Amino acid sequence: MKPRDAAALCPIMTAPEVADYLRIHYATLYKMIRRGEIPVFKMGSDYRFRRDELEKWIADKQRSQERSK
């Protein structure tokens, strides 16, 4: 198993992993964090993301966009 594959299975993700997962620039992710737009928590001084919360957040965003059409 490649290291990247192992990260894909982990329920907790780092900011670089989330930026890659969402296919956005890390600076965009940090703006979203500062604005409180994305579910995140801190471990020490580092941001961490729960994969299940991110997937729910993505699904909620998709539903709200579909309703606004």
Side-chain angles (χ1 to χ4, degrees), residues 41-52:
F41 67 96
K42 286 188 98 170
M43 290 187 71
S45 61
D46 298 322
Y47 290 109
R48 294 290 185 262
F49 304 80
R50 291 179 46 103
R51 182 178 298 278
D52 59 342

Side-chain angles (χ1 to χ4, degrees), residues 13-33:
M13 300 171 72
T14 64
E17 290 170 340
V18 171
D20 188 47
Y21 179 67
L22 296 176
R23 299 185 189 277
I24 59 175
H25 194 272
Y26 71 89
T28 301
L29 178 62
Y30 283 102
K31 286 179 190 176
M32 293 170 73
I33 292 168

Side-chain angles (χ1 to χ4, degrees), residues 1-21:
M1 180 182 297
K2 297 177 189 174
R4 189 173 193 144
D5 294 337
L9 301 175
C10 186
I12 304 297
M13 300 171 72
T14 64
E17 290 170 340
V18 171
D20 188 47
Y21 179 67

